[in-house]
Amino acid sequence: ETGVTQTPRHLVMGMTNKKSLKCEQHLGHNAMYWYKQSAKKPLELMFVYSLEERVENNSVPSRFSPECPNSSHLFLHLHTLQPEDSALYLCASSQVGGAGYEQYFGPGTRLTVT
Amino acid sequence: QQQVKQSPQSLIVQKGGISIINCAYENTAFDYFPWYQQFPGKGPALLIAIRPDVSEKKEGRFTISFNKSAKQFSLHIMDSQPGDSATYFCAASKNSGYALNFGKGTSLLVTP
């Protein structure tokens, strides 16, 4: 439960605001992920960082901007969002290059765009 | 296109019964199949996972059955308990990749 932490847990923002989501992993992993979870949809992978380099960007709009300053921290910077961006944003981490690709998730940030 | 299809969308089981959730995939390159459990207000937690070199894996009351030729795998929860009430997600990935392809989830309710 405490292996991956996310702040804030809840965020309400207007369409013209700028905010950032923070994720920290305490598992010693070398890869970190951002996912979007919307009602009645599969979890959508947004970004992947491996060894602090972005390795995947799944056609995410530029109003979402990730940042990975080191292997333990991951940010998602938000600006000029749309109401359809309201969702649960989940961070995950894993150890790439090991025996498997088990991903461990944080509790998520519930984002509401008004 | 959705790479992993999960059914049913929701499931109600009596306490002590068996809960069965099914998933199907198309990409034969997938070689890692985890199941995640998610409670309200929490992130998904890894429950159990299987690789295609075995047809079944059991951990306590949870069993994954894997049918490589049919490209299907399922989660069985034996002796289901009210505390098992949660949303369950199947997923699949390639060992060479990072992405976990998730199913849409099954909302399980175990009644007392």
Side-chain angles (χ1 to χ4, degrees), chain A residues 1 9 31 33 35 37 40-43 45 48 50 55-56 58 88 90 96 99-108, chain B residues 2 4 9 32 36 38 41-46 49 51 87 89 93-105:
Chain A
E1 176 66 34
R9 294 294 309 275
Y33 310 74
Y35 284 87
Q37 186 174 32
K40 303 194 186 302
K41 283 187 171 183
L43 275 78
L45 179 65
V48 181
S50 177
V55 294
E56 285 200 29
N58 284 357
L88 182 68
L90 291 159
V96 176
Y101 287 84
E102 298 176 358
Q103 293 185 18
Y104 295 85
F105 286 82
Chain B
Q2 192 179 342
V4 178
Q9 186 175 339
Y32 174 65
Y36 281 81
Q38 186 176 25
K42 306 280 188 180
L46 180 64
R51 296 191 184 275
T87 301
F89 295 93
S93 72
K94 294 181 283 188
N95 202 37
S96 58
Y98 298 93
L100 273 177
N101 300 277
F102 283 88
K104 288 188 175 182

Side-chain angles (χ1 to χ4, degrees), chain A residues 7 28 30 33 37 114:
Chain A
T7 54
N30 58 13
Y33 310 74
Q37 186 174 32
T114 60

